[in-house]
Amino acid sequence: MFPYEWRKSSYSAGQSACVEVAAPARAGAAMRDTKHRDLGALSFPSPEWQAFLSTAQSDQP
């Protein structure tokens, strides 16, 4: 369904209770639950993904 290269956040520290993100070039991004990969993923177009990243980065201490 999503033939992307998935990766976990470095904040996961080897835990399995996290989300994975795949961000193919110019296509936005997709997210899935690490424990339930078989349930599929949510995909976001590039403008929505960039807005999410901007908000997340501005909320960091």
Side-chain angles (χ1 to χ4, degrees), residues 45-58:
S46 188
E48 289 179 10
W49 186 247
Q50 291 304 317
F52 168 77
L53 292 177
S54 294
T55 301
Q57 292 168 351
S58 68

Side-chain angles (χ1 to χ4, degrees), residues 1-3 5 10 12 21-23 25 27 32 40 43-44 50 56-57 60:
M1 178 177 184
F2 293 97
E5 183 177 333
S10 59
S12 297
V21 175
R32 68 182 181 185
S43 59
F44 302 91
Q50 291 304 317
Q57 292 168 351
Q60 292 191 11

Side-chain angles (χ1 to χ4, degrees), residues 1-7 20-25 27-33 36-46 49:
M1 178 177 184
F2 293 97
Y4 309 141
E5 183 177 333
W6 294 95
R7 60 179 194 209
E20 296 175 317
V21 175
M31 295 176 71
R32 68 182 181 185
D33 184 339
H36 302 286
R37 293 178 179 142
D38 57 319
L39 295 178
L42 296 172
S43 59
F44 302 91
S46 188
W49 186 247

